[in-house]
């Protein structure tokens, strides 16, 4: 248990924050994630997967996704 890092818990935290479907959580995730890293897409991929299962995605979430993924 002592060797656990934030990276070990990040998939669970990403899922929980996205599931909460709050604008504050969404803003925090967009600040935390780096969609420009080619070598590690684990966290952005987890975020996109979690948002795909959002039951009531807000217009802001959809807009942020389109703006954030512009160029892919």
């Amino acid at each position: 248990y002592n060797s656990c890092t934030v990276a070990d818990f990040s998939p669970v935290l990403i899922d929980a924050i996205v599931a909460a479907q709050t604008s504050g959580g969404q803003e925090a995730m967009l600040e935390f994630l780096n969609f420009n890293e080619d070598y590690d897409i684990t966290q952005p991929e987890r975020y996109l997967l979690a948002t795909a299962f959002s039951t009531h995605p807000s217009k802001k979430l959809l807009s942020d996704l389109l703006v954030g993924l512009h160029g892919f």
Side-chain angles (χ1 to χ4, degrees):
Y1 294 104
N2 293 336
S3 63
C4 293
T5 64
V6 173
D8 296 329
F9 293 103
S10 66
V12 175
L13 293 173
I14 291 170
D15 290 345
I17 292 169
V18 172
Q21 297 184 19
T22 63
S23 60
Q26 176 186 332
E27 290 175 20
M29 289 307 310
L30 292 176
E31 288 179 25
F32 172 72
L33 296 172
N34 185 352
F35 288 94
N36 295 321
E37 291 181 4
D38 290 335
Y39 63 91
D40 185 13
I41 62 165
T42 306
Q43 292 175 339
E45 181 180 41
R46 185 68 177 233
Y47 173 74
L48 293 173
L49 180 64
T51 58
F53 290 102
S54 295
T55 56
H56 297 91
S58 67
K59 288 181 182 179
K60 181 162 177 26
L61 171 64
L62 298 174
S63 174
D64 287 345
L65 287 174
L66 290 173
V67 170
L69 297 175
H70 183 72
F72 284 101

